[in-house]
Amino acid sequence: MGPEEAVQAFHELQSKTFVPMHFGTYRMSYEPMHEPAQRLMLAGSSAGVLQNIRFLVEGMPQVF
């Protein structure tokens, strides 16, 4: 599932918080490592859910 399909699934499931993971860990294709996150932010912005996307940072706790 790519970033655009993930945003569509987030919408269809009527979720409240979107926590992306499994990107930037290791190279799976020829795209730049940061591209999936950028595409997700663009798709989230277009869908009006950008404020619901939370990128987790190791060692920095977040309360949902």
Side-chain angles (χ1 to χ4, degrees), residues 3-8 10 18 36-53:
E4 297 79 14
E5 293 88 3
V7 169
Q8 181 62 35
F10 175 78
F18 189 124
Q38 288 180 331
R39 286 177 42 204
L40 176 64
M41 290 172 48
L42 182 61
S45 180
S46 296
V49 297
L50 186 59
Q51 69 279 2
N52 300 93
I53 299 174

Side-chain angles (χ1 to χ4, degrees), residues 2-61:
E4 297 79 14
E5 293 88 3
V7 169
Q8 181 62 35
F10 175 78
H11 177 73
E12 290 176 7
L13 292 168
Q14 300 177 2
S15 298
K16 295 179 182 175
T17 305
F18 189 124
V19 180
M21 54 184 61
H22 302 298
F23 68 91
T25 305
Y26 53 89
R27 185 168 301 282
M28 293 180 61
S29 66
Y30 294 107
E31 67 195 8
M33 295 288 274
H34 63 275
E35 183 179 311
Q38 288 180 331
R39 286 177 42 204
L40 176 64
M41 290 172 48
L42 182 61
S45 180
S46 296
V49 297
L50 186 59
Q51 69 279 2
N52 300 93
I53 299 174
R54 301 280 186 95
F55 287 89
L56 302 182
V57 178
E58 184 177 347
M60 295 181 66

